[in-house]
Amino acid sequence: MKKRISKLQAELKEKELDALLINTPENRRYMTGFTGTAGTVLVSQEEAILITDFRYTQQAKKQAPDYRVVEFKGSKLDKINELLKGLKIDTLGFEATYENYNTYLNYKEKLDVSLKATENIVKKIRMIKNSDEIEKIKKAVEITDDAFTMIREFLRIGVIERDVALELEFFMKKAGATDNAFDFIVASGERSALPHGVASDKKITAGDFVTMDFGCVYDGYHSDMTRTVVVGEEATTKQKEIYEIVLKAQLEAIKGIKAGIKGSEVDKIARDIIAQAGYEDYFGHGLGHCVGLEIHEGPRLSPKDDTVLEAGMVVTVEPGIYLPNWGGVRIEDIVVVTEDGCEILTESSKELLIIDN
């Protein structure tokens, strides 16, 4: 954690902040290694402190050895104010994108400092994953790949979408996942045209496209994968056509990923292919997003995000075509950006699978 503390302290100096108060759970875990649910991090230009209560003191000392662990009794803000005075802090940054207005008013009333709203200081440091983080994401992806292999044996005509989601969840948690990455999308038939079609009570019928978007959390880090299959009978000509367009868009976008390219430029590779095929109006979301301690992190592969990709970023690549009253296709992998390309972590087949169990 010492490197992360040093990076943050350098950011504080650049932004003319004496210290930063961190309460965002993911940022707290990233900066300290502490996995408890109650704690505040105070990093100044000279010191790093983790403030928690009696329930977590011993855990914090064990998990965050690079921090001075301070236990508070009574008012946490009183303890923070005491620490700020001891450190001679004049200007304190707080996470404006996480704290609500009432919290800000409490800070203003009880902390004898000049408050300065900050945005995404720690999140920007989190964009570049180190080898340990990438290994945890790889393990989460491995569990997800194995779940897709399993669910292919479970899918059949008459199975309820919600049961598919439950099977995926049970399998991944039994395999070592601590949680679902998000509410799984299992959308069949016409419902596959819903980009966020969370699993329902609909039964899968013969010839349905079934889009499954799912992932897990392993040691705090997320996976995210989407596959679309046909269940019960051979795919129609139109199903094959739409699938091949999406697959081509995904493969070409992956080829274009490397350090130095903008997220918007990668998005354009896939979007142009879909547009040239006549389906521009049916791909309404961004191409992808970074993943890590959160399922959606920055930067994004989107027409609106001109962030330059750097080696160590971990992003999804997930184009789709969604036709109302017919169905849709999305294909998604996770990749790690490298200097001259990317490493694809997702290993599940991307050929159009016909499930006929």
Side-chain angles (χ1 to χ4, degrees):
M1 297 300 162
K2 289 182 179 179
K3 288 184 179 179
R4 296 177 184 180
I5 294 170
S6 296
K7 285 182 180 179
L8 178 54
Q9 288 172 332
E11 288 289 324
L12 297 182
K13 290 177 182 178
E14 182 180 323
K15 291 176 170 51
E16 298 182 342
L17 293 169
D18 295 325
L20 178 67
L21 208 58
I22 300 169
N23 280 305
T24 306
E26 295 82 9
N27 289 345
R28 180 177 63 221
R29 177 170 182 165
Y30 179 82
M31 289 303 306
T32 66
F34 174 61
T35 60
T37 57
T40 295
V41 178
L42 176 63
V43 177
S44 72
Q45 294 187 18
E46 289 79 32
E47 193 167 0
I49 302 170
L50 174 56
I51 306 146
T52 191
D53 62 41
F54 173 81
R55 296 170 299 165
Y56 294 104
T57 303
Q58 294 306 312
Q59 179 183 346
K61 288 179 178 178
K62 183 177 181 180
Q63 292 184 323
D66 296 320
Y67 282 73
R68 173 156 68 100
V69 175
V70 173
E71 181 181 319
F72 73 91
K73 298 176 182 178
S75 169
K76 181 166 67 171
L77 283 182
D78 286 346
K79 175 58 72 174
I80 291 172
N81 198 43
E82 176 187 318
L83 292 167
L84 294 172
K85 288 180 179 179
L87 294 170
K88 298 181 180 179
I89 301 300
D90 293 320
T91 304
L92 176 69
F94 67 95
E95 299 177 301
T97 51
Y98 179 76
E99 308 286 19
N100 61 37
Y101 185 61
N102 284 337
T103 301
Y104 167 72
L105 291 179
N106 282 332
Y107 287 167
K108 193 173 181 180
E109 178 186 353
K110 297 182 179 180
L111 302 181
D112 298 323
V113 292
S114 174
L115 293 168
K116 186 174 180 179
T118 68
E119 291 189 10
N120 301 325
I121 293 177
V122 178
K123 282 192 173 186
K124 287 179 181 177
I125 298 173
R126 282 170 46 195
M127 285 182 180
I128 310 298
K129 272 61 178 179
N130 63 24
S131 58
D132 180 60
E133 292 179 284
I134 291 171
E135 285 304 311
K136 290 175 182 178
I137 295 171
K138 283 182 176 180
K139 180 60 179 178
V141 171
E142 179 185 330
I143 293 171
T144 306
D145 275 326
D146 290 344
F148 179 64
T149 299
M150 176 279 301
I151 208 65
R152 287 159 56 179
E153 299 300 318
F154 180 79
L155 286 171
R156 57 179 51 83
I157 296 169
V159 167
I160 296 170
E161 291 175 354
R162 198 184 306 277
D163 288 342
V164 175
L166 288 171
E167 287 292 321
L168 288 167
E169 177 178 358
F170 179 75
F171 178 90
M172 291 192 289
K173 287 183 175 177
K174 193 173 181 180
T178 55
D179 204 354
N180 298 341
F182 47 86
D183 289 337
F184 297 163
I185 293 165
V186 181
S188 61
E190 291 184 4
R191 292 190 74 252
S192 62
L194 302 174
H196 279 183
V198 175
S200 73
D201 290 328
K202 178 188 176 298
K203 291 182 179 180
I204 295 171
T205 59
D208 275 356
F209 260 148
V210 181
T211 296
M212 296 168 287
D213 186 347
F214 58 101
C216 69
V217 181
Y218 178 81
D219 201 7
Y221 286 81
H222 293 70
S223 63
D224 193 357
M225 180 177 82
T226 308
R227 289 294 185 269
T228 302
V229 301
V230 176
V231 173
E233 59 187 43
E234 185 64 34
T236 66
T237 300
K238 186 171 183 179
Q239 284 176 324
K240 291 177 182 177
E241 174 201 350
I242 299 299
Y243 193 93
E244 287 303 316
I245 294 167
V246 174
L247 180 59
K248 180 181 179 182
Q250 205 242 11
L251 293 174
E252 291 302 314
I254 288 174
K255 287 180 184 177
I257 292 176
K258 62 180 179 180
I261 192 172
K262 294 177 181 178
S264 56
E265 292 173 335
V266 181
D267 179 277
K268 188 175 187 301
I269 294 171
R271 200 166 299 278
D272 283 352
I273 290 170
I274 291 173
Q276 288 163 10
Y279 294 100
E280 179 179 11
D281 293 339
Y282 303 100
F283 175 30
H285 58 74
L287 179 64
H289 54 87
C290 281
V291 297
L293 287 168
E294 294 177 274
I295 187 60
H296 293 110
E297 297 188 354
R300 294 175 179 266
L301 306 183
S302 158
K304 299 178 181 179
D305 197 330
D306 289 330
T307 304
V308 176
L309 300 186
E310 297 180 53
M313 290 180 173
V314 180
V315 298
T316 68
V317 186
E318 46 182 305
I321 294 175
Y322 312 94
L323 303 179
N325 304 315
W326 182 80
V329 174
R330 181 164 66 252
I331 304 169
E332 174 186 22
D333 292 333
I334 285 182
V335 307
V336 181
V337 180
T338 63
E339 290 295 343
D340 56 0
C342 68
E343 176 188 0
I344 304 173
L345 302 187
T346 314
E347 295 185 353
S348 295
S349 172
K350 287 186 285 193
E351 65 176 293
L352 178 54
L353 298 175
I354 312 301
I355 309 295
D356 190 15
N357 295 325

